[in-house]
Amino acid sequence: MLVAKHQNTINNAVKANQDRTFFSHYPEHPKAYGDEAHAIGAQSYQQMLGKPFKQLIQTGETGWVGEEVSPYSGEVLGVTYPLFAVNDLINKAAAAGKSWAKVAVPERAAVLTETLDRIKDHFFDIANATMHTTGQSYMMSFQASGPHANDRALEAIAAGFEELQRYPGNILWEKPMGKASVKLNKSFKAVPKGIGVVIGCSTFPVWNSLPGIYADLIAGNTVIVKPHPKAILPIAIAVSCIQQVLEEAGYEPNICQLAVDSSDHLITKELCENPAVKLIDYTGGSAFGDYVESLKGKTVFTEKAGVNSVIIDSVKDLDAVIQNLAFSVSLYSGQMCTAPQNFFIPEHGIEISHGNVSFNEVVTKFKEAVEGLVNNPKMGAGTLGAVQNEQTLERAKNAGALGGKVVLQGQAISNEEFSNARVFTPTIIEVSSADNNIYEKELFGPVVLVVKTKDTAHSIQLAKHMAEKHGAITCAAYTTNPKVKEQIIDEMNSVFTPVSFNLTGFIWVNQHAAFSDFHVTGGNPAGNASFTNQEFILKRFVWVGNRELAE
């Protein structure tokens, strides 16, 4: 029944993965979900506050915990979640995995697509939960944790659907040997590796988690979802939807479990180091990411910290470029893994269609554009969102002490709707190319460095070095010279960094589209995995062949 219901959706997603053209199964505009959906979602979210979260189909809890605080209101959400012993989670995952591994791929894909449709029914609950745990604006919360995350999950299902059926299940194999022949019945099985753990982050708890969750599940693995203690509610809602559909379809809800913990008693290492855990997906800082990658006997997929660059050589319309970049650095206060940090600009300035613009003039225009955006009552607070945690806020406040020349000092601004919102504007600091002690590290949050270089070739050299040594998820470049464009492509691609050229208008370097853009290449220190390419799926199962003499 579910196969018939969802096969067309899965086929379209498989084709979209192959074609790489625009495709979205879940519309990104809230109006597509009905006039009442927003109000219903807001009410549903409010009803969850201050109560135990009992939507999960998990038993045997040892206690309840919750410590989420809204970056907008400053208030404790008051939602508590069940705690489970690690061994209990592992044992239940192992038991559930025995039957899930035997489910035919088309049925598995259909059940998982049904879970996404159930999550879709809760997009607006999840949006409010995301907003009040991460500090994302409401619209970003809706899109990133709703339709965009679901599209990424469907992308993983489609990739798995294709790879898991690449070879025939059964064949008659015959080898001619003169007058006789040898006949064998051969079978080929895609055997899942085992239990997966998906470790969530505090800024994108759904968007960064769903690809790994669904890649594990489509490959026949069970999965334990370990969210960040400060951002549980959005992914808890999603996991509860998955469990409900699994149970309704006749499967064990423990195929996907939620494993919460608290800041003073983290269980992530205990989970990761358990011998039964074979797969780990991790999003977060490099130190813990390096630890996860060092674990023996595990297949690990990481997205860690990187330092993203902007190379400005020459432009057609400087104002359009500056406005685009000002929005890119302000969007969600620079708390996106794709946000640009280091702007490499030649000391002699840049070429425009009718001459040259000096370095100082470019920097001034950039400063004024950022000021104009963040101080715009209709744009500023909505674009910036709120800072997720105090550590990021302190880093932004103290950015001026890094060194260099403070071009624009970030400042707290008010949010008309939330008087206690933790909102802070970008700080822009000018440094020289010799100040590598300042710009050779990730400064997560609203901190931007403008680096004065000798020329564009020098800019490219520095951007390449940054990506090779520290990792980069994105690179933005502006040039009207075809030869320079090719040089940037060659150099940045050689260190496995994608380049976005000459973006203006309503498309920004921060954005990656499901079914088209690979998110992280997996080739530099920013992370070892990319969703969703074939490797993101293939490493979660093993092809095993059996054979016997044919009668």
Side-chain angles (χ1 to χ4, degrees), residues 278-336:
K278 303 300 182 183
L279 300 156
I280 303 172
D281 285 80
Y282 169 77
T283 302
S286 292
F288 198 85
D290 292 342
Y291 152 77
V292 173
E293 289 177 356
S294 73
L295 294 174
K296 294 182 179 180
K298 316 289 183 182
T299 301
V300 175
F301 306 86
T302 62
E303 178 191 322
K304 302 183 293 184
V307 183
N308 302 318
S309 298
V310 178
I311 300 167
I312 307 180
D313 169 70
S314 52
V315 304
K316 289 183 179 179
D317 185 341
L318 181 58
D319 288 339
V321 169
I322 292 297
Q323 290 297 326
N324 185 277
L325 292 173
F327 188 89
S328 293
V329 301
S330 302
L331 186 60
Y332 186 31
S333 302
Q335 297 170 105
M336 302 176 72

Side-chain angles (χ1 to χ4, degrees), residues 134-169:
T134 69
Q136 294 176 29
S137 68
Y138 179 78
M139 184 58 79
M140 177 182 277
S141 296
F142 174 81
Q143 291 181 340
S145 287
H148 292 175
N150 259 31
D151 273 342
R152 278 293 187 189
L154 181 59
E155 177 184 70
I157 293 171
F161 182 84
E162 188 172 20
E163 293 301 332
L164 289 156
Q165 300 183 102
R166 182 168 293 280
Y167 305 116

Side-chain angles (χ1 to χ4, degrees), residues 186-228:
K186 294 190 177 186
S187 62
F188 302 95
K189 292 173 59 180
V191 180
K193 285 193 173 179
I195 299 170
V197 169
V198 175
I199 305 166
C201 65
S202 62
T203 48
F204 286 87
V206 180
W207 192 91
N208 272 109
S209 294
L210 287 197
I213 292 170
Y214 280 85
D216 276 347
L217 293 175
I218 188 61
N221 304 287
T222 53
V223 63
I224 298 170
V225 182
K226 214 305 289 182
H228 191 285

Side-chain angles (χ1 to χ4, degrees), residues 375-438:
N375 292 321
N376 184 329
K378 295 181 179 180
M379 287 282 290
T383 302
L384 291 167
V387 177
Q388 200 278 331
N389 63 64
E390 287 290 346
Q391 289 86 352
T392 302
L393 181 63
E394 286 304 308
R395 184 184 304 112
K397 285 181 176 179
N398 298 325
L402 290 167
K405 172 186 175 184
V406 177
V407 175
L408 178 63
Q409 176 61 55
Q411 59 184 348
I413 63 170
S414 62
N415 180 306
E416 291 182 1
E417 186 178 358
F418 299 99
S419 59
N420 293 327
R422 196 160 47 207
V423 185
F424 203 79
T425 65
T427 294
I428 303 174
I429 300 173
E430 178 188 323
V431 298
S432 76
S433 58
D435 294 321
N436 60 309
N437 61 311
I438 300 175

